Amino acid sequence: MKHIYLDYNATSPVRPEVLEAMLPFYREQFGNPSSVHWAGRQVGGALEKAREQVAAFINASPAEIVFVSCGSEGDNMAIKGSLGALKEKGNHIITTTVEHPAVLETCQALEKEGFDVTYLPVDKDGQLNLDDMEKAITEKTVLISVMWANNETGNIYPIEEIGAIARKYNIRFHTDAVQAVGKVPVDVQKAKVDLLVISGHKLGAPKGVGAIYVRRGTRMTPLLHGGHQERNRRAGTQNMAGIVGLGLACEMAGAEQESYYHRVRALRDKLEDGVVALVPDIKLNGTPNRDQRLPNTLNVSFAYIEGESLLLNLDMYGIAASSGSACTSGSLEPSHVMGAMCVEVTLAHSSTRFSLGPETVPAEIDKVLEVLPATVQRLRDMSPLYNCGRTSDNCETCQTIKRI
Amino acid sequence: MYTDKVMDHFTNPRNVGEIEDANGVGEVGNASCGDIMKIFLKVEDNIIKDVKFKTFGCGAAIATSSMVTEMAIGKTIEEALELSNQAVAEALDGLPAQKMHCSNLAADALHEAIKNYREQNG
Ligand SMILES: Cc1ncc(COP(=O)(O)O)c(C=O)c1O
């Protein structure tokens, strides 16, 4: 059976060119970039080249790039490092209800330590109201943290406008751009962000490497104490192979940005149009305006059925997608993003994300459209919620739902 | 994550559907947890002659529903009441730990259907 991978927002394979570029750094050029001898000198250049590649990709200067171990570390560092440095100024953070757990749970942990956090709501399409944001600003606000694009729905947030608001009030602005980079243009000058986080494995670089952009003059307390690496901003001997991979992946993504966008968007639109035409009783999650969504992401709920059972069925055809169902997260509640959008609970349990990538081909989309309608129907025929006169508003079961 | 038996019952669920002239119907679960199981019974002379199910839920929910119908057919009411969620999970060679709580309700649904049968048939 051929494998069809439509879960690129979860992770992506390392690009062959990237792997090739990384390999020498395990054996031949194994040196520690902090060493003064030949072995160290051999890799110092590669470290700085990677820094330049990442910087150019987001229109930053190389000194503003700090390599970290993953997107989650970057988000933790941005938030904790800012609040540590800005303690005297205030203790209030503004973020959103739809952030990745790397941001949300960091904020929740800080609340326990006495910081105040405002979690901005989103509307039913997952969009933010910037008036709400401006109203939430107080004298004590020291950080605004809003993701560039949402990993579940693909919604792209108005980062330039948020950056302008943050500037107006002189508040530091962090954005988790893990899902945005490579998929849409990302420019730290245009967006006026102070801190921006990227992760290698969503971009065709390996897992376990990421970077944070720290605008010149942005004071931070370190998350990891120890060595003097990364200009004292992040201790730990650099993951040379990973960093070299990240640098090349950024350069390639930058060069291919436009062609990627058009190619993957055409395929996503074909999938979206096909699902809408072929499967009744579905709900699109996220903004219907496709220009305001990542070009590779489609999130739909299929009424009357549950997401994990759909994923398992698709998996039998070799199709890999992901779900907002509680059953796939190990918790009892469905995705917090669906909850924040007030998606009715059974629909939240059936939310299914298809995320395409640079290696997706038209035949794979055809195959999904061929098997999906019958698969959904088979599960619906098994469901007590289907064709029983229950609609989402008149059944007891759904009364329970409304509470969430 | 799932055993072969779970996958077998999930991919080829036994006794899916409704019984038109059921004399006992039971439902457990709720939508917020993502699992609803409904069991239909045809009881004659204190013996379960037929069982069918409809389930909204994950792989474990569908597999346990299917398994409980197989286990219940032919049993007396009393024997069927002895069937536990644990026994259903064991018959499937086990379930992942996080599924034991939310998706392992099939025996409860069966017991609800029996209760309903007893209420209807004094
Ligand atoms: C929006 C977003 N932020 C952060 C992360 C975390 O990145 P990493 O897996 O590199 O820690 C992810 C990936 O799951 C993500 O999608």
Side-chain angles (χ1 to χ4, degrees):
Chain A
M1 183 175 50
K2 266 196 68 190
H3 283 162
I4 299 178
Y5 186 75
L6 297 177
D7 203 9
Y8 280 87
N9 286 10
T11 196
S12 63
V14 174
R15 301 180 69 148
E17 303 88 333
V18 167
L19 179 62
E20 205 53 44
M22 290 170 60
L23 289 175
F25 293 88
Y26 288 106
R27 289 291 306 168
E28 296 90 335
Q29 301 180 50
F30 62 87
N32 184 330
S34 303
S35 304
V36 293
H37 50 60
W38 57 266
R41 287 197 307 273
Q42 264 186 352
V43 299
L47 178 61
E48 294 319 311
K49 179 175 173 209
R51 209 182 294 285
E52 283 162 23
Q53 287 168 317
V54 175
F57 179 49
I58 57 173
N59 195 21
S61 36
E64 296 173 311
I65 302 298
V66 178
F67 290 112
V68 293
S69 70
C70 60
S72 302
E73 184 192 331
D75 286 333
N76 271 266
M77 175 173 161
I79 298 168
K80 294 178 189 164
S82 289
L83 293 179
L86 299 173
K87 248 195 213 124
E88 270 76 60
K89 273 190 77 186
N91 67 346
H92 178 231
I93 315 168
I94 298 174
T95 185
T96 79
T97 46
V98 294
E99 297 299 310
H100 187 271
V103 168
L104 270 188
E105 293 185 19
T106 301
C107 288
Q108 284 159 0
L110 287 166
E111 274 184 289
K112 293 207 182 90
E113 290 176 24
F115 290 93
D116 285 331
V117 184
T118 301
Y119 300 93
L120 295 172
V122 293
D123 66 14
K124 63 176 192 10
D125 292 332
Q127 296 294 66
L128 286 169
N129 178 339
L130 296 189
D131 291 340
D132 288 350
M133 172 172 296
E134 222 168 325
K135 280 187 209 130
I137 295 173
T138 72
E139 300 250 284
K140 295 272 177 207
T141 309
V142 287
L143 182 69
I144 296 175
S145 176
V146 178
M147 66 199 329
W148 198 302
N150 184 271
N151 44 308
E152 291 191 30
T153 58
N155 277 15
I156 300 169
Y157 291 105
I159 295 301
E160 284 183 33
E161 291 169 53
I162 298 170
I165 293 174
R167 277 283 166 93
K168 183 167 139 197
Y169 292 90
N170 198 19
I171 297 168
R172 189 179 289 192
F173 178 31
H174 159 239
T175 185
D176 172 342
V178 167
Q179 292 293 344
V181 289
K183 296 173 189 150
V184 291
V186 167
D187 180 326
V188 295
Q189 304 311 338
K190 254 198 192 152
K192 301 187 183 64
V193 301
D194 301 303
L195 297 159
L196 178 144
V197 172
I198 72 178
S199 173
H201 70 107
K202 315 279 184 183
L203 260 179
K207 294 158 189 67
V209 67
I212 176 169
Y213 157 79
V214 182
R215 181 178 292 278
R216 186 171 289 120
T218 306
R219 276 190 306 124
M220 305 276 287
T221 49
L223 192 62
L224 296 186
H225 296 271
H228 55 272
Q229 292 91 348
E230 302 294 297
R231 300 174 173 225
N232 294 315
R233 292 171 297 186
R234 199 272 186 186
T237 301
Q238 288 90 346
N239 167 8
M240 278 306 304
I243 288 169
V244 166
L246 178 62
L248 182 58
C250 285
E251 184 182 309
M252 293 174 75
E256 294 163 10
Q257 169 75 72
E258 265 199 57
S259 59
Y260 164 88
Y261 185 97
H262 294 293
R263 222 181 61 79
V264 83
R265 163 125 186 206
L267 290 175
R268 191 278 312 272
D269 287 356
K270 175 184 161 104
L271 179 63
E272 187 164 333
D273 293 338
V275 171
V276 169
L278 297 170
V279 189
D281 297 334
I282 62 167
K283 178 187 176 301
L284 175 81
N285 299 310
T287 171
N289 180 346
R290 295 177 186 182
D291 293 336
Q292 289 175 20
R293 230 185 314 136
L294 292 175
N296 76 322
T297 307
L298 170 65
N299 190 315
V300 270
S301 289
F302 300 91
Y304 319 116
I305 66 174
E306 190 275 339
E308 188 207 79
S309 50
L310 179 60
L311 288 193
L312 287 170
N313 270 291
L314 292 175
D315 184 49
M316 289 190 283
Y317 295 102
I319 299 166
S322 79
S323 165
S325 150
C327 281
T328 59
S329 68
S331 78
L332 287 179
E333 273 154 34
S335 135
H336 70 281
V337 176
M338 297 302 131
M341 302 192 316
C342 284
V343 175
E344 188 255 340
V345 127
T346 51
L347 290 175
H349 279 293
S350 80
S351 74
T352 306
R353 179 187 71 189
F354 299 95
S355 50
L356 288 56
E359 294 176 48
T360 307
V361 295
E364 295 178 318
I365 302 301
D366 293 336
K367 180 73 183 174
V368 174
L369 291 174
E370 180 193 318
V371 305
L372 185 67
T375 304
V376 169
Q377 192 55 45
R378 200 177 83 84
L379 288 167
R380 283 181 174 168
D381 289 339
M382 225 184 271
S383 168
L385 303 176
Y386 183 58
N387 257 349
C388 62
R390 284 178 177 182
T391 66
S392 29
D393 290 314
N394 73 3
C395 72
E396 269 166 64
T397 338
C398 301
Q399 310 289 307
T400 22
I401 297 162
K402 291 274 147 61
R403 272 186 291 137
I404 297 207
Chain B
M1 157 173 116
Y2 287 131
T3 66
D4 290 347
K5 272 223 176 113
V6 172
M7 285 313 290
D8 174 36
H9 277 264
F10 171 70
T11 47
N12 302 297
R14 333 295 199 245
N15 307 308
V16 178
E18 300 183 11
I19 299 175
E20 289 282 313
D21 56 343
N23 52 12
V25 180
E27 185 178 299
V28 296
N30 73 55
S32 59
C33 301
D35 290 296
I36 301 172
M37 299 179 187
K38 194 167 183 182
I39 296 264
F40 301 82
L41 289 180
K42 182 77 194 164
V43 181
E44 279 171 27
D45 303 328
N46 203 45
I47 299 214
I48 297 177
K49 288 281 185 218
D50 197 9
V51 198
K52 288 208 183 314
F53 80 91
K54 282 210 155 171
T55 289
F56 162 86
C58 64
I62 290 172
T64 52
S65 306
S66 165
M67 180 51 95
V68 87
T69 61
E70 272 204 331
M71 292 170 85
I73 285 182
K75 286 205 162 55
T76 65
I77 292 282
E78 291 73 24
E79 286 166 345
L81 283 171
E82 298 275 298
L83 268 179
S84 65
N85 291 331
Q86 185 65 34
V88 174
E90 277 164 19
L92 289 165
D93 295 336
L95 289 175
Q98 77 272 21
K99 301 285 182 183
M100 290 301 284
H101 164 66
C102 65
S103 311
N104 189 21
L105 303 169
D108 294 347
L110 175 68
H111 299 163
E112 281 298 311
I114 292 173
K115 202 168 118 201
N116 174 258
Y117 163 77
R118 284 185 161 165
E119 282 161 10
Q120 282 184 40
N121 301 276

mmCIF file of all heavy atoms in Angstrom, chain A residues 308 326-327 329-332, chain B residues 1-3 6 35 58 60-61 64 85-86 89-90 92-105:
data_model
loop_
_atom_site.group_PDB
_atom_site.id
_atom_site.type_symbol
_atom_site.label_atom_id
_atom_site.label_comp_id
_atom_site.label_asym_id
_atom_site.label_seq_id
_atom_site.Cartn_x
_atom_site.Cartn_y
_atom_site.Cartn_z
ATOM 1 N N GLU A 308 -11.071 9.841 15.922
ATOM 2 C CA GLU A 308 -10.075 8.768 15.948
ATOM 3 C C GLU A 308 -10.506 7.607 15.068
ATOM 4 O O GLU A 308 -9.692 7.007 14.363
ATOM 5 C CB GLU A 308 -9.824 8.253 17.368
ATOM 6 C CG GLU A 308 -8.650 7.282 17.391
ATOM 7 C CD GLU A 308 -8.720 6.267 18.512
ATOM 8 O OE1 GLU A 308 -9.459 5.279 18.389
ATOM 9 O OE2 GLU A 308 -8.015 6.463 19.513
ATOM 10 N N ALA A 326 -10.623 14.028 21.488
ATOM 11 C CA ALA A 326 -9.985 13.754 22.775
ATOM 12 C C ALA A 326 -9.198 12.457 22.700
ATOM 13 O O ALA A 326 -8.142 12.316 23.290
ATOM 14 C CB ALA A 326 -11.053 13.644 23.855
ATOM 15 N N CYS A 327 -9.755 11.513 21.937
ATOM 16 C CA CYS A 327 -9.176 10.176 21.897
ATOM 17 C C CYS A 327 -7.793 10.145 21.266
ATOM 18 O O CYS A 327 -7.076 9.172 21.409
ATOM 19 C CB CYS A 327 -10.086 9.248 21.130
ATOM 20 S SG CYS A 327 -11.451 8.725 22.142
ATOM 21 N N SER A 329 -5.636 12.662 21.802
ATOM 22 C CA SER A 329 -4.741 13.531 22.565
ATOM 23 C C SER A 329 -4.417 12.937 23.922
ATOM 24 O O SER A 329 -3.582 13.445 24.648
ATOM 25 C CB SER A 329 -5.382 14.905 22.764
ATOM 26 O OG SER A 329 -6.497 14.776 23.617
ATOM 27 N N GLY A 330 -5.118 11.845 24.285
ATOM 28 C CA GLY A 330 -4.865 11.253 25.593
ATOM 29 C C GLY A 330 -5.598 11.967 26.713
ATOM 30 O O GLY A 330 -5.465 11.605 27.861
ATOM 31 N N SER A 331 -6.365 12.995 26.375
ATOM 32 C CA SER A 331 -7.152 13.655 27.419
ATOM 33 C C SER A 331 -8.622 13.348 27.163
ATOM 34 O O SER A 331 -8.964 12.691 26.188
ATOM 35 C CB SER A 331 -6.925 15.159 27.392
ATOM 36 O OG SER A 331 -7.667 15.736 26.342
ATOM 37 N N LEU A 332 -9.486 13.830 28.037
ATOM 38 C CA LEU A 332 -10.906 13.544 27.835
ATOM 39 C C LEU A 332 -11.597 14.639 27.042
ATOM 40 O O LEU A 332 -12.727 14.487 26.632
ATOM 41 C CB LEU A 332 -11.606 13.367 29.178
ATOM 42 C CG LEU A 332 -11.272 12.058 29.897
ATOM 43 C CD1 LEU A 332 -11.998 11.979 31.223
ATOM 44 C CD2 LEU A 332 -11.617 10.854 29.027
ATOM 45 N N MET B 1 -0.785 0.594 19.055
ATOM 46 C CA MET B 1 -1.553 0.999 20.228
ATOM 47 C C MET B 1 -2.678 0.009 20.526
ATOM 48 O O MET B 1 -2.878 -0.374 21.673
ATOM 49 C CB MET B 1 -2.069 2.407 19.949
ATOM 50 C CG MET B 1 -3.275 2.829 20.708
ATOM 51 S SD MET B 1 -3.615 4.580 20.420
ATOM 52 C CE MET B 1 -5.181 4.466 19.598
ATOM 53 N N TYR B 2 -3.421 -0.420 19.508
ATOM 54 C CA TYR B 2 -4.505 -1.389 19.709
ATOM 55 C C TYR B 2 -4.048 -2.810 19.388
ATOM 56 O O TYR B 2 -3.215 -3.020 18.509
ATOM 57 C CB TYR B 2 -5.688 -1.046 18.801
ATOM 58 C CG TYR B 2 -6.473 0.169 19.225
ATOM 59 C CD1 TYR B 2 -6.781 1.155 18.295
ATOM 60 C CD2 TYR B 2 -6.936 0.311 20.527
ATOM 61 C CE1 TYR B 2 -7.527 2.270 18.663
ATOM 62 C CE2 TYR B 2 -7.677 1.424 20.900
ATOM 63 C CZ TYR B 2 -7.974 2.400 19.963
ATOM 64 O OH TYR B 2 -8.701 3.489 20.326
ATOM 65 N N THR B 3 -4.635 -3.800 20.080
ATOM 66 C CA THR B 3 -4.331 -5.197 19.791
ATOM 67 C C THR B 3 -4.976 -5.607 18.463
ATOM 68 O O THR B 3 -5.875 -4.930 17.946
ATOM 69 C CB THR B 3 -4.893 -6.118 20.894
ATOM 70 O OG1 THR B 3 -6.329 -6.035 20.852
ATOM 71 C CG2 THR B 3 -4.396 -5.711 22.278
ATOM 72 N N VAL B 6 -8.712 -5.939 18.806
ATOM 73 C CA VAL B 6 -9.430 -4.664 18.771
ATOM 74 C C VAL B 6 -9.562 -4.219 17.318
ATOM 75 O O VAL B 6 -10.648 -3.840 16.860
ATOM 76 C CB VAL B 6 -8.699 -3.583 19.606
ATOM 77 C CG1 VAL B 6 -9.342 -2.213 19.390
ATOM 78 C CG2 VAL B 6 -8.713 -3.939 21.085
ATOM 79 N N ASP B 35 -17.946 9.569 23.336
ATOM 80 C CA ASP B 35 -18.415 8.190 23.181
ATOM 81 C C ASP B 35 -19.882 8.070 23.555
ATOM 82 O O ASP B 35 -20.273 8.471 24.646
ATOM 83 C CB ASP B 35 -17.632 7.251 24.109
ATOM 84 C CG ASP B 35 -16.191 7.075 23.662
ATOM 85 O OD1 ASP B 35 -15.991 6.531 22.572
ATOM 86 O OD2 ASP B 35 -15.287 7.501 24.401
ATOM 87 N N CYS B 58 -14.507 6.298 19.445
ATOM 88 C CA CYS B 58 -13.204 5.974 18.888
ATOM 89 C C CYS B 58 -13.092 4.486 18.581
ATOM 90 O O CYS B 58 -14.045 3.726 18.760
ATOM 91 C CB CYS B 58 -12.125 6.391 19.871
ATOM 92 S SG CYS B 58 -12.208 5.483 21.415
ATOM 93 N N ALA B 60 -11.668 2.072 20.173
ATOM 94 C CA ALA B 60 -11.939 1.219 21.335
ATOM 95 C C ALA B 60 -13.431 1.141 21.612
ATOM 96 O O ALA B 60 -13.955 0.081 21.965
ATOM 97 C CB ALA B 60 -11.215 1.768 22.558
ATOM 98 N N ALA B 61 -14.133 2.243 21.434
ATOM 99 C CA ALA B 61 -15.573 2.257 21.697
ATOM 100 C C ALA B 61 -16.295 1.328 20.725
ATOM 101 O O ALA B 61 -17.182 0.561 21.112
ATOM 102 C CB ALA B 61 -16.104 3.684 21.578
ATOM 103 N N THR B 64 -15.259 -2.459 21.549
ATOM 104 C CA THR B 64 -15.878 -3.029 22.756
ATOM 105 C C THR B 64 -17.373 -3.242 22.529
ATOM 106 O O THR B 64 -17.937 -4.224 23.006
ATOM 107 C CB THR B 64 -15.667 -2.123 23.994
ATOM 108 O OG1 THR B 64 -16.079 -0.797 23.688
ATOM 109 C CG2 THR B 64 -14.225 -2.114 24.449
ATOM 110 N N ASN B 85 -17.232 -4.615 32.126
ATOM 111 C CA ASN B 85 -16.399 -3.881 31.172
ATOM 112 C C ASN B 85 -15.006 -4.488 31.103
ATOM 113 O O ASN B 85 -14.394 -4.587 30.044
ATOM 114 C CB ASN B 85 -16.292 -2.405 31.572
ATOM 115 C CG ASN B 85 -17.610 -1.660 31.399
ATOM 116 O OD1 ASN B 85 -18.411 -2.003 30.548
ATOM 117 N ND2 ASN B 85 -17.814 -0.645 32.225
ATOM 118 N N GLN B 86 -14.532 -4.894 32.275
ATOM 119 C CA GLN B 86 -13.208 -5.501 32.365
ATOM 120 C C GLN B 86 -13.122 -6.774 31.526
ATOM 121 O O GLN B 86 -12.163 -6.989 30.783
ATOM 122 C CB GLN B 86 -12.921 -5.819 33.845
ATOM 123 C CG GLN B 86 -11.531 -6.355 34.124
ATOM 124 C CD GLN B 86 -10.448 -5.334 33.827
ATOM 125 O OE1 GLN B 86 -10.661 -4.130 34.010
ATOM 126 N NE2 GLN B 86 -9.307 -5.792 33.332
ATOM 127 N N ALA B 89 -12.895 -5.936 27.888
ATOM 128 C CA ALA B 89 -11.540 -5.493 27.552
ATOM 129 C C ALA B 89 -10.591 -6.685 27.464
ATOM 130 O O ALA B 89 -9.765 -6.773 26.553
ATOM 131 C CB ALA B 89 -11.044 -4.477 28.574
ATOM 132 N N GLU B 90 -10.747 -7.628 28.406
ATOM 133 C CA GLU B 90 -9.876 -8.806 28.385
ATOM 134 C C GLU B 90 -10.118 -9.663 27.156
ATOM 135 O O GLU B 90 -9.169 -10.186 26.554
ATOM 136 C CB GLU B 90 -10.066 -9.632 29.669
ATOM 137 C CG GLU B 90 -9.233 -9.077 30.824
ATOM 138 C CD GLU B 90 -9.672 -9.609 32.180
ATOM 139 O OE1 GLU B 90 -10.358 -10.665 32.222
ATOM 140 O OE2 GLU B 90 -9.334 -8.961 33.192
ATOM 141 N N LEU B 92 -10.752 -8.683 24.376
ATOM 142 C CA LEU B 92 -10.092 -8.010 23.242
ATOM 143 C C LEU B 92 -8.579 -7.992 23.427
ATOM 144 O O LEU B 92 -7.875 -7.246 22.739
ATOM 145 C CB LEU B 92 -10.617 -6.572 23.122
ATOM 146 C CG LEU B 92 -12.062 -6.421 22.628
ATOM 147 C CD1 LEU B 92 -12.572 -5.012 22.913
ATOM 148 C CD2 LEU B 92 -12.170 -6.726 21.140
ATOM 149 N N ASP B 93 -8.083 -8.776 24.373
ATOM 150 C CA ASP B 93 -6.652 -8.809 24.703
ATOM 151 C C ASP B 93 -6.152 -7.480 25.246
ATOM 152 O O ASP B 93 -4.986 -7.111 25.060
ATOM 153 C CB ASP B 93 -5.802 -9.226 23.487
ATOM 154 C CG ASP B 93 -6.095 -10.657 23.049
ATOM 155 O OD1 ASP B 93 -6.567 -11.444 23.904
ATOM 156 O OD2 ASP B 93 -5.880 -10.968 21.866
ATOM 157 N N GLY B 94 -7.060 -6.740 25.861
ATOM 158 C CA GLY B 94 -6.641 -5.507 26.533
ATOM 159 C C GLY B 94 -6.867 -4.253 25.704
ATOM 160 O O GLY B 94 -6.994 -4.312 24.480
ATOM 161 N N LEU B 95 -6.938 -3.130 26.414
ATOM 162 C CA LEU B 95 -7.099 -1.816 25.784
ATOM 163 C C LEU B 95 -6.003 -0.906 26.320
ATOM 164 O O LEU B 95 -5.525 -1.115 27.430
ATOM 165 C CB LEU B 95 -8.451 -1.203 26.173
ATOM 166 C CG LEU B 95 -9.714 -1.819 25.582
ATOM 167 C CD1 LEU B 95 -10.936 -1.133 26.192
ATOM 168 C CD2 LEU B 95 -9.732 -1.670 24.064
ATOM 169 N N PRO B 96 -5.608 0.109 25.553
ATOM 170 C CA PRO B 96 -4.635 1.073 26.083
ATOM 171 C C PRO B 96 -5.175 1.703 27.372
ATOM 172 O O PRO B 96 -6.382 1.914 27.489
ATOM 173 C CB PRO B 96 -4.532 2.135 24.978
ATOM 174 C CG PRO B 96 -5.095 1.504 23.751
ATOM 175 C CD PRO B 96 -6.067 0.454 24.201
ATOM 176 N N ALA B 97 -4.284 1.984 28.294
ATOM 177 C CA ALA B 97 -4.694 2.464 29.619
ATOM 178 C C ALA B 97 -5.651 3.655 29.540
ATOM 179 O O ALA B 97 -6.659 3.696 30.236
ATOM 180 C CB ALA B 97 -3.454 2.839 30.434
ATOM 181 N N GLN B 98 -5.359 4.603 28.637
ATOM 182 C CA GLN B 98 -6.193 5.813 28.629
ATOM 183 C C GLN B 98 -7.585 5.549 28.074
ATOM 184 O O GLN B 98 -8.459 6.397 28.149
ATOM 185 C CB GLN B 98 -5.490 6.954 27.875
ATOM 186 C CG GLN B 98 -5.515 6.862 26.367
ATOM 187 C CD GLN B 98 -4.344 6.060 25.803
ATOM 188 O OE1 GLN B 98 -3.731 5.260 26.490
ATOM 189 N NE2 GLN B 98 -4.045 6.267 24.518
ATOM 190 N N LYS B 99 -7.800 4.350 27.501
ATOM 191 C CA LYS B 99 -9.120 4.031 26.955
ATOM 192 C C LYS B 99 -9.986 3.287 27.956
ATOM 193 O O LYS B 99 -11.167 3.097 27.731
ATOM 194 C CB LYS B 99 -8.978 3.138 25.715
ATOM 195 C CG LYS B 99 -8.174 3.745 24.598
ATOM 196 C CD LYS B 99 -8.966 4.790 23.877
ATOM 197 C CE LYS B 99 -8.141 5.347 22.730
ATOM 198 N NZ LYS B 99 -8.837 6.406 22.037
ATOM 199 N N MET B 100 -9.376 2.809 29.034
ATOM 200 C CA MET B 100 -10.137 1.969 29.958
ATOM 201 C C MET B 100 -11.276 2.751 30.574
ATOM 202 O O MET B 100 -12.343 2.226 30.825
ATOM 203 C CB MET B 100 -9.223 1.416 31.061
ATOM 204 C CG MET B 100 -8.239 0.378 30.567
ATOM 205 S SD MET B 100 -9.034 -1.059 29.815
ATOM 206 C CE MET B 100 -9.618 -1.932 31.273
ATOM 207 N N HIS B 101 -11.057 4.030 30.798
ATOM 208 C CA HIS B 101 -12.084 4.811 31.472
ATOM 209 C C HIS B 101 -13.192 5.244 30.502
ATOM 210 O O HIS B 101 -14.359 4.966 30.720
ATOM 211 C CB HIS B 101 -11.462 6.041 32.130
ATOM 212 C CG HIS B 101 -12.477 7.056 32.509
ATOM 213 N ND1 HIS B 101 -13.419 6.807 33.489
ATOM 214 C CD2 HIS B 101 -12.748 8.275 32.014
ATOM 215 C CE1 HIS B 101 -14.205 7.850 33.584
ATOM 216 N NE2 HIS B 101 -13.827 8.759 32.715
ATOM 217 N N CYS B 102 -12.810 5.904 29.415
ATOM 218 C CA CYS B 102 -13.846 6.599 28.636
ATOM 219 C C CYS B 102 -14.498 5.727 27.587
ATOM 220 O O CYS B 102 -15.646 5.919 27.238
ATOM 221 C CB CYS B 102 -13.273 7.867 28.015
ATOM 222 S SG CYS B 102 -12.000 7.560 26.801
ATOM 223 N N SER B 103 -13.746 4.769 27.050
ATOM 224 C CA SER B 103 -14.277 4.077 25.881
ATOM 225 C C SER B 103 -14.682 2.651 26.192
ATOM 226 O O SER B 103 -15.032 1.896 25.310
ATOM 227 C CB SER B 103 -13.229 4.075 24.775
ATOM 228 O OG SER B 103 -12.727 5.363 24.620
ATOM 229 N N ASN B 104 -14.619 2.301 27.463
ATOM 230 C CA ASN B 104 -14.893 0.909 27.822
ATOM 231 C C ASN B 104 -16.205 0.847 28.590
ATOM 232 O O ASN B 104 -16.236 0.576 29.775
ATOM 233 C CB ASN B 104 -13.724 0.370 28.660
ATOM 234 C CG ASN B 104 -13.837 -1.118 28.894
ATOM 235 O OD1 ASN B 104 -14.531 -1.819 28.160
ATOM 236 N ND2 ASN B 104 -13.175 -1.594 29.929
ATOM 237 N N LEU B 105 -17.294 1.125 27.879
ATOM 238 C CA LEU B 105 -18.599 1.253 28.526
ATOM 239 C C LEU B 105 -19.610 0.273 27.964
ATOM 240 O O LEU B 105 -20.796 0.350 28.267
ATOM 241 C CB LEU B 105 -19.145 2.672 28.299
ATOM 242 C CG LEU B 105 -18.272 3.830 28.771
ATOM 243 C CD1 LEU B 105 -18.818 5.139 28.225
ATOM 244 C CD2 LEU B 105 -18.219 3.864 30.285
#
